[in-house]
Amino acid sequence: MKDPRIERAMGLCKKLVGCFSYSWRRKRELSEAQKQLCLPDHKLKTECSKRWGSRQAMVRRILEQQAAITHVLSSDRKARHLLPTWQDLEVLEAVDKTLTPLADFTDALSGEQYVSVSSVKPALHLFQSSVLALKEDESDLICTIKSKIVGYLEEKYNDQKTQDLLDIATTLDPRFKMTYVNEDNKTAVQNKLQDEMSKLKTVEESLPITTSSSSSAKKTRKTLGSFFKAAQSNTGPTDPASQQQQSVSMELQSYLFLSNADSEVDPLVWWKAHKEQYPRLSSLARKYLCIPATSSPSERVFSTGGNIVSCRRSALKPQNVDRLVFLAKNL
């Protein structure tokens, strides 16, 4: 957004919003113009530095109410100079066209009631392949904005630890698995998953082994199959670690060979239904898929705390604030 054309257009939008916000007469005239022109009865929005999507919302509202704004300000000598020129309108349309899909993805990734971390890599792939892909019929400004956004996203997620986390989270999502994992990293991701699965204990392994006393046990007659079983056990001892490693590998390969789930399926519901089939992977899924993709959930908690600790309730004890915030976010 650091472009002289965009900075001029954004400054003009803020002045327009302020022009209508501090004058009741212009507000009334804008409402009347909206009725005459059959436009939605919406108020103008301004940009907030703490909210990323507020700039796109401000630009979209200005473009939506452009005819009503022109109708009101064209007869106002003091504010006529605030009318956007055709160059400004082109810049605003370019910004709106570029930022609208990003705002939709941001709202979707900022949720906290569903799995979001596993959708980061698919979303980045979608940005680069279609949403932010350069097109021949687009203006130079749109191409510049898209290129800068793609470069920023690549730099933001370029950290190796972040990439490893996103690869594992995406693999544990039955909707994507290893579709968006780089070919060079697939083996490393599988090895990482197998290492973590080997450290976990299944429900059967964690149950205590119960042995019956020899005195109460009945003497049973040997069957023909018991002789073959004894012969097989005498051929050589089996290594428990090797058996566990084989079981882990089979569980992971069975999951990866399974067809991907529908994109609308809730991953948590899917893992609950397949918990018995993939006990170790389901535990890892609960570990990784609970991570939020953005910091919005934690910021909402801070906002809730700010609403609770107001000027009139500044004497609240810390433990009471914690309880009130917990109740506000969980009831």
Side-chain angles (χ1 to χ4, degrees):
M1 296 292 104
K2 293 182 179 179
D3 187 283
R5 296 169 292 180
I6 298 178
E7 290 178 355
R8 167 186 158 74
M10 293 304 106
L12 183 63
C13 288
K14 292 180 181 179
K15 291 179 181 179
L16 274 174
V17 176
C19 173
F20 285 92
S21 298
Y22 298 109
S23 174
W24 64 268
R25 181 178 61 83
R26 293 195 184 102
K27 285 183 181 179
R28 182 187 62 189
E29 293 177 355
L30 180 65
S31 179
E32 294 175 355
Q34 289 172 343
K35 294 178 181 178
Q36 294 177 6
L37 299 173
C38 299
L39 293 175
D41 187 15
H42 293 161
K43 296 181 180 179
L44 300 183
K45 295 181 178 181
T46 188
E47 181 184 9
C48 177
S49 59
K50 296 182 179 179
R51 294 194 61 188
W52 181 89
S54 60
R55 169 168 291 191
Q56 182 269 341
M58 177 183 68
V59 171
R60 167 154 287 199
R61 187 58 55 85
I62 291 292
L63 293 174
E64 177 192 86
Q65 302 295 332
Q66 174 198 348
I69 293 172
T70 304
H71 181 80
V72 174
L73 297 185
S74 58
S75 59
D76 193 336
R77 294 181 180 179
K78 295 183 179 179
R80 191 181 301 171
H81 66 282
L82 296 178
L83 285 173
T85 62
W86 65 269
Q87 293 95 336
D88 295 326
L89 291 177
E90 283 188 354
V91 173
L92 294 179
E93 290 174 356
V95 171
D96 178 65
K97 184 179 179 180
T98 310
L99 295 187
T100 296
L102 296 182
D104 297 337
F105 274 100
T106 302
D107 293 339
L109 290 175
S110 299
E112 53 186 308
Q113 301 296 329
Y114 49 85
V115 176
S116 58
V117 66
S118 59
S119 301
V120 174
K121 293 210 75 169
L124 293 176
H125 176 77
L126 193 60
F127 288 162
Q128 296 176 354
S129 61
S130 60
V131 177
L132 296 177
L134 303 182
K135 301 177 182 178
E136 296 180 357
D137 58 339
E138 291 178 337
S139 63
D140 177 66
L141 180 59
I142 294 179
C143 294
T144 303
I145 296 175
K146 286 185 175 181
S147 300
K148 289 184 178 179
I149 292 176
V150 170
Y152 171 78
L153 291 175
E154 290 178 352
E155 181 182 356
K156 180 178 178 63
Y157 293 99
N158 194 30
D159 182 59
Q160 187 60 41
K161 292 184 178 179
T162 304
Q163 284 292 325
D164 295 341
L165 172 63
L166 294 178
D167 284 339
I168 293 178
T170 306
T171 304
L172 290 173
D173 194 320
R175 301 171 297 175
F176 310 121
K177 294 183 181 176
M178 308 197 83
T179 306
Y180 299 97
V181 179
N182 193 352
E183 289 292 336
D184 300 335
N185 298 334
K186 287 186 177 181
T187 304
V189 173
Q190 293 186 30
N191 293 336
K192 174 69 174 176
L193 285 173
Q194 289 185 16
D195 291 341
E196 294 204 33
M197 291 169 64
S198 301
K199 298 175 183 178
L200 297 175
K201 286 187 177 181
T202 60
V203 178
E204 291 81 3
E205 294 172 347
S206 60
L207 291 176
I209 301 175
T210 57
T211 58
S212 57
S213 59
S214 58
S215 58
S216 61
K218 264 188 177 181
K219 187 175 181 180
T220 57
R221 194 173 184 181
K222 286 187 177 182
T223 61
L224 185 61
S226 63
F227 292 99
F228 296 102
K229 185 176 182 181
Q232 291 176 357
S233 62
N234 292 331
T235 55
T238 57
D239 186 11
S242 177
Q243 285 185 345
Q244 183 186 19
Q245 188 66 25
Q246 185 178 4
S247 174
V248 166
S249 178
M250 290 178 60
E251 180 179 341
L252 178 60
Q253 295 303 322
S254 174
Y255 165 72
L256 295 178
F257 282 131
L258 198 67
S259 58
N260 291 5
D262 187 77
S263 58
E264 296 293 336
V265 171
D266 187 351
L268 299 181
V269 175
W270 190 93
W271 278 114
K272 185 177 181 180
H274 295 78
K275 180 180 178 181
E276 301 295 332
Q277 188 176 359
Y278 308 108
R280 296 182 180 88
L281 281 174
S282 62
S283 300
L284 289 183
R286 290 195 299 269
K287 174 184 175 181
Y288 283 97
L289 297 185
C290 66
I291 303 173
T294 66
S295 60
S296 298
S298 60
E299 292 173 5
R300 295 190 188 104
V301 175
F302 283 114
S303 299
T304 303
N307 294 332
I308 292 174
V309 185
S310 59
C311 295
R312 295 188 177 183
R313 307 181 72 187
S314 58
L316 284 171
K317 294 182 178 180
Q319 58 268 27
N320 292 336
V321 174
D322 293 341
R323 293 170 182 171
L324 291 173
V325 171
F326 176 83
L327 292 175
K329 297 298 293 184
N330 291 278
L331 288 183

